[in-house]
Amino acid sequence: MDQEHIIAELLAFIEADPPSDPAAADAAFEALALKVFAYQFQHNAPFAKFARARGKTPRTVKRWADIPAVPINAFKSLDLTCRPPEDCVATFMTSGTTLGGVRGKSYHATLSVYDASMRRNFAQRFMGGQERMPLGVLFPTPALLPNSSLAHYLDLARQHFGSPGSRHLIGPDGIDIDGLCQDLERAEASSAPYGLIGASFSLVHALDALATRGRRFRLPEGSRILDTGGFKGQSRELEPDAFYDALAMTFGVPRRRCINMYGMTELSTQFYDDGNAACPSVKSGPHWIRARVVDPLTGQSVPDGATGVLAHTDLAHFNIVATILTEDAGIAVDGGFLLLGRAAGAAAAGCSMAVDAFLKAASAA
Amino acid sequence: MTEHPILAARLPGMNADALGHVTQTYGPADAPVSIALPKLDAAAIAAVAASVKTATRRTLKTYPVARIVDTLDAAIARLLDRAHPIRRQMDRLLPRLTGYDADMVGLGLTRYLMTFRKPELLRFLAEDFPNPAILDGFQPLPKGGYGRAYGADLTAHIWAGNVPGLPLWSLAAGLLAKSGAVGKVPTAEPLFAGLFVDALAEVDPALAECIAVVWWQGGEEAPERALLEAAELALAYGGNAALAAIRARTPITTRFLAYGHKVSFAMIGREALDAAKTAETARAAAYDVMRYDQQGCFAPHVIFVEAGGRSSPERFAGHLAQELQAFERTYPRRALSLGEAADVAAWRAAAETSPGGAVIGDPAGLWTVAFDDGTDGQFSPSSLNRAIRVVAVQRLEDVAARVAPYRRLLQTAGLACAPDRLFALSAELGLAGVRRVAALGDMTAPEAGWHHDGRFNILDLVEITEIDGRALPTADRLAAYVD
């Protein structure tokens, strides 16, 4: 199958409502997943080598869950792409906080599928039935961060779902707190819902800056907040309950409308919860992505209710690899999964040493 | 069935029952072990420290070092007796606490305890003191005058939990220096230190009063500060970040010795890879990888293998994989936490996808051999837990330069090579920062009296009081018998 056809199939799959019968929905997902696997096996040489080393080829893989999961670490050393990198329109990179600053890369031959995936999902999971609302983006623009998938995602939200006046509230000099206060005051004065969207750590910076000014807001009914990505050492670390309490208190948005998005550079589709009235919240994705909870060493699904590492099969990530093995711990529950934080990076005990600690010590030597 | 919680602490002069406890449960779901860890606040730590100091002045300080050696020897003899109740408790509980295979712990413990018998303790002393009588009385100093070595009234020991038995090193060294000890056990393995004190108490209860075993929740600062205030000397084991935090809380008047992150590696010469020796070499290397699942600082992270032998480095990697598979049957790897398993998976993926890299692995991830044909060729850390990288090199003489960037971290090099190369390679490795060269297969079992991280075990714990060389002639003039 060529790129044009796989894109057409994917766009149609994303746009169509999935069959209401679960067995039919499973079959539809499986059929397309196997096509995507075959496409990637044919066009993505490093992935094909990786799959072959595990005895996984389009001839042997009969179930979507048997598609080999590529550890996200491999995105750092391999050019996992069906089209040559130079033909790609966007390269999203991880922040490179581990492994000596080497960054994982996802090459996108087109953003049409990524964007379709994002739009349909965001409309369903964040917009609450509204077509547009004023959106304040607490993250830099794509112009400032051209390799950030999150910058692209948030700007797409602003373009497609933001009403006039929606804007980025972070520039080269950091958060524009005056601008944020103005927008929040304007939203308070209107009766129309307002959306504040951005990185979790940027929201902490905003909370801290507003607390310094002694400012609190009561945004209109229907307003909502989207945070994503955690704190990553960029802000102080808050327990989820403390974080969502602070958001509710400062912006007057109830915790059930504070939505956390779980996304990754190594995916083209995001997971959302239905608010954070209670933590940890259940995360789920649309019908073109599936999550499994696996043993990281065997790749096999763990028994129901056991903790494992999350593996995602995202059909929209068609140019790269469909199934990735994350380093995030999770547990399957009804309607989705609970995200339990990072599984890797277990601190080495005593005088032995973890990889990160080694790199740090060596760079000091 | 759950058992009555086992008390981890030893608190001389204090009623442990009067303290609150945290009960921690360890081990497999079908055979859990409950350990009671007493909650000690700063005041309680200060009281324990005072009690240890009093006992130390009353007993330990008055003992000749030979008596301390004999007492330790008798306690170790009890622990070497696998029928002795305390040893049986160790054999029964330590594997469940740590998850290590019971046979591996049992054999490892015996081999380890054997390095603390009387002949070995005398070796410890001889390594550090040309005349160990300097610990008992003033002895002539080469420069003139007289000197006597004094250990601290109280040494604080802050231990890490990676390998069972670690506290014995510093406790034995501290006792030989006639220093009282308050040792803080890690939550991961809080039992060994107290059981050792029990064995000591069977031989000499008064001497056992000179050691307290305490615990507090990691990160609690007040009790740690209280201990560091009370002690003259602090020995701390662990990760560099944890050590830095402890050092920051140590008063300037308390001497601080840190035993931080170290890494080790192995080197195999082509002469160890002929038809008759390859299997033996691979078994020795696998043994070093298997022991305590590489959790000790002397465990190899990388094995550099020289090309040009009968077995190529790649074939050696295959042999090593076979031996690891065999060890998996006799001494299975402990169950990993999800985080540890994810670390191994990430390490494996990185090895597999690096240029010139390949992986031979057990499908369930119980062990992994990564092979690097030399394209990368660099020293890099393992995820541990029986994950080892074999790096092909043209000449073993090239290895020292590759490990030199990590000189602050290097500890042991396990060598398999001919004697004429042993000294030449060791000279280069020493220059690069390596502090111990051992035979392959012996990496994880340092011999008695070895210089831990290149330092002195007992000498580092004492201070010398010296009588100035002119003091005696001057005193002579005041003697009654002088005309």
Side-chain angles (χ1 to χ4, degrees):
Chain A
M1 189 180 285
D2 63 21
Q3 179 177 295
E4 192 187 331
H5 284 96
I6 199 91
I7 291 173
E9 278 214 39
L10 283 164
L11 290 174
F13 191 83
I14 288 168
E15 283 316 313
D17 287 330
S20 53
D21 169 36
D26 286 352
F29 181 86
E30 185 132 274
L32 188 52
L34 295 178
K35 278 188 197 170
V36 170
F37 172 59
Y39 173 78
Q40 292 172 345
F41 191 87
Q42 185 185 348
H43 297 287
N44 182 341
F47 172 63
K49 181 173 173 234
F50 175 90
R52 257 192 223 102
R54 284 160 180 68
K56 308 278 184 152
T57 69
R59 285 166 55 90
T60 63
V61 171
K62 304 290 181 210
R63 310 296 304 263
W64 69 268
D66 294 334
I67 298 170
V70 178
I72 55 169
N73 225 350
F75 284 71
K76 292 171 179 163
S77 45
L78 299 180
D79 280 340
L80 292 164
T81 177
C82 294
R83 293 296 297 268
E86 57 274 20
D87 291 354
C88 289
V89 298
T91 305
F92 293 145
M93 296 192 193
T94 56
S95 51
T97 47
T98 57
L99 212 78
V102 181
R103 302 170 72 182
K105 303 167 291 288
S106 278
Y107 299 99
H108 291 269
T110 166
L111 285 170
S112 62
V113 179
Y114 184 103
D115 292 358
S117 164
M118 183 278 172
R119 286 199 306 267
R120 172 148 196 198
N121 204 11
F122 192 84
Q124 283 179 344
R125 302 301 295 270
F126 184 74
M127 292 302 288
Q130 317 221 32
E131 278 201 10
R132 286 181 181 266
M133 67 172 86
L135 293 176
V137 182
L138 285 173
F139 203 72
T141 61
L144 282 172
L145 293 179
N147 296 120
S148 163
S149 58
L150 183 57
H152 174 74
Y153 164 94
L154 291 167
D155 194 49
L156 206 58
R158 181 190 62 79
Q159 287 177 38
H160 284 270
F161 300 97
S163 50
S166 296
R167 59 172 175 156
H168 283 81
L169 295 161
I170 289 188
D173 306 320
I175 299 188
D176 174 8
I177 290 293
D178 291 334
L180 173 64
C181 288
Q182 282 164 19
D183 285 9
L184 293 171
E185 283 162 10
R186 194 175 305 130
E188 263 184 330
S190 80
S191 57
Y194 178 85
L196 190 60
I197 62 178
S200 311
F201 56 79
S202 302
L203 282 157
V204 174
H205 293 151
L207 287 171
D208 291 348
L210 293 174
T212 307
R213 296 186 179 194
R215 293 297 307 263
R216 283 188 186 179
F217 299 87
R218 295 222 58 83
L219 289 169
E221 174 64 25
S223 295
R224 47 202 67 225
I225 296 174
L226 179 137
D227 82 284
T228 185
F231 307 116
K232 291 185 173 160
Q234 304 253 15
S235 71
R236 62 200 171 87
E237 302 269 328
L238 276 79
E239 291 301 319
D241 277 320
F243 176 63
Y244 291 110
D245 280 345
L247 290 180
M249 192 106 76
T250 305
F251 300 106
V253 174
R255 282 178 53 164
R256 69 191 148 84
R257 294 216 181 87
C258 293
I259 291 157
N260 175 262
M261 183 274 273
Y262 164 54
M264 303 176 71
T265 302
E266 297 89 348
L267 293 175
S268 292
T269 302
Q270 299 78 34
F271 296 94
Y272 298 88
D273 56 38
D274 293 322
N276 281 276
C279 294
S281 57
V282 177
K283 298 281 192 289
S284 59
H287 63 268
W288 58 93
I289 190 169
R290 295 211 170 179
R292 290 189 305 138
V293 180
V294 304
D295 177 323
L297 283 169
T298 62
Q300 301 294 313
S301 295
V302 300
D304 280 346
T307 303
V309 164
L310 293 167
H312 304 306
T313 301
D314 177 14
L315 306 186
H317 213 48
F318 75 96
N319 187 57
I320 302 105
V321 293
T323 302
I324 63 163
L325 180 69
T326 72
E327 295 174 354
D328 299 322
I331 186 165
V333 293
D334 278 349
F337 58 87
L338 302 180
L339 185 61
L340 304 176
R342 210 171 128 76
C351 60
S352 67
M353 162 166 283
V355 175
D356 286 353
F358 181 91
L359 291 164
K360 199 185 265 179
S363 64
Chain B
M1 193 191 79
T2 47
E3 301 166 53
H4 193 65
I6 300 156
L7 187 67
R10 298 295 179 274
L11 306 167
M14 187 173 273
N15 177 10
D17 295 336
L19 296 164
H21 290 81
V22 176
T23 302
Q24 286 265 351
T25 304
Y26 299 80
D30 53 345
V33 186
S34 291
I35 308 275
L37 301 157
K39 288 197 272 192
L40 293 156
D41 60 13
I45 292 286
V48 169
S51 163
V52 166
K53 277 189 199 177
T54 305
T56 300
R57 285 198 206 100
R58 197 171 53 226
T59 57
L60 186 53
K61 293 288 184 195
T62 69
Y63 283 17
V65 72
R67 180 170 174 185
I68 303 170
V69 168
D70 286 337
T71 307
L72 276 168
D73 185 55
I76 293 295
R78 280 166 167 72
L79 296 179
L80 280 168
D81 172 6
R82 295 192 76 153
H84 191 278
I86 298 175
R87 174 59 193 263
R88 281 171 59 178
Q89 229 181 336
M90 287 183 173
D91 283 343
R92 192 168 60 86
L93 296 174
L94 292 179
R96 280 154 72 188
L97 245 64
T98 58
Y100 292 121
D101 177 69
D103 289 337
M104 180 167 79
V105 171
L107 293 176
L109 209 51
T110 293
R111 195 169 164 189
Y112 178 65
L113 290 165
M114 283 168 69
T115 59
F116 294 92
R117 296 171 302 180
K118 182 170 181 175
E120 288 77 20
L121 292 171
L122 293 175
R123 188 168 295 284
F124 266 103
L125 287 165
E127 273 306 320
D128 286 11
F129 301 101
N131 176 8
I134 199 171
L135 288 158
D136 294 334
F138 284 96
Q139 303 294 326
L141 296 177
K143 71 165 178 60
Y146 296 82
R148 180 170 174 179
Y150 290 97
D153 275 359
L154 181 67
T155 301
H157 304 244
I158 298 176
W159 294 305
N162 48 331
V163 172
L166 172 85
L168 186 50
W169 276 114
S170 65
L171 280 177
L175 286 175
L176 293 173
K178 303 189 192 181
S179 177
V182 176
K184 190 259 173 187
V185 291
T187 309
E189 197 286 275
L191 220 51
F192 178 89
L195 291 173
F196 168 69
V197 175
D198 290 349
L200 208 58
E202 285 195 358
V203 185
D204 184 342
L207 189 67
E209 301 266 296
C210 303
I211 304 175
V213 176
V214 300
W215 174 87
W216 57 76
Q217 191 77 54
E220 253 192 275
E221 291 186 17
E224 185 178 280
R225 276 186 202 280
L227 176 56
L228 294 167
E229 291 282 347
E232 287 161 61
L233 173 65
L235 310 178
Y237 297 80
N240 289 349
L243 291 176
I246 298 168
R247 186 168 67 179
R249 291 192 275 275
T250 306
I252 194 74
T253 45
T254 300
R255 206 150 57 89
F256 182 78
L257 298 181
Y259 296 92
H261 280 323
K262 293 288 166 183
V263 293
S264 298
F265 60 92
M267 297 162 63
I268 296 173
R270 59 175 70 91
E271 59 271 31
L273 298 173
D274 69 20
K277 299 198 185 81
T278 300
E280 186 190 329
T281 305
R283 193 168 314 123
Y287 182 81
D288 285 337
V289 172
M290 171 278 291
R291 279 263 291 184
Y292 295 120
D293 303 338
Q294 293 167 291
Q295 296 296 313
C297 39
F298 20 66
H301 285 246
V302 170
I303 302 176
F304 294 99
V305 180
E306 194 172 46
R310 178 74 182 269
S311 286
S312 68
E314 189 165 14
R315 282 198 46 197
F316 172 79
H319 282 283
L320 181 63
Q322 277 176 22
E323 296 297 338
L324 285 171
Q325 177 65 47
F327 275 129
E328 183 56 37
R329 286 191 288 271
T330 44
Y331 302 111
R333 193 198 64 195
R334 84 203 147 89
L336 300 187
S337 71
L338 181 65
E340 291 170 317
D343 279 345
V344 174
W347 179 88
R348 218 174 176 174
E352 186 180 2
T353 56
S354 68
V359 162
I360 315 170
D362 163 73
L366 297 169
W367 52 268
T368 311
V369 176
F371 177 69
D372 168 10
D373 64 7
T375 307
D376 174 59
Q378 297 307 309
F379 188 36
S380 68
S382 157
S383 63
L384 309 181
N385 298 310
R386 306 195 187 183
I388 186 74
R389 188 159 147 257
V390 170
V391 174
V393 292
Q394 287 310 307
R395 302 164 61 244
L396 281 192
E397 285 71 17
D398 299 339
V399 172
R402 299 193 194 179
V403 298
Y406 305 100
R407 57 172 299 116
R408 297 189 205 184
L409 302 175
L410 299 178
Q411 195 206 60
T412 296
L415 249 63
C417 67
D420 55 336
R421 303 177 82 187
L422 178 63
F423 283 92
L425 287 169
S426 295
E428 293 300 318
L429 291 171
L431 203 58
V434 170
R435 289 298 169 255
R436 176 169 166 257
V437 175
L440 201 65
D442 285 336
M443 290 182 72
T444 62
E447 64 191 339
W450 78 297
H451 294 92
H452 187 176
D453 295 348
R455 295 296 315 172
F456 295 89
N457 292 294
I458 309 168
L459 198 55
D460 271 355
L461 308 189
V462 301
E463 293 180 1
I464 305 290
T465 294
E466 62 176 45
I467 298 172
D468 187 289
R470 291 156 299 187
L472 183 56
T474 308
D476 280 344
R477 284 185 286 169
L478 305 176
Y481 46 78
V482 170
D483 296 332

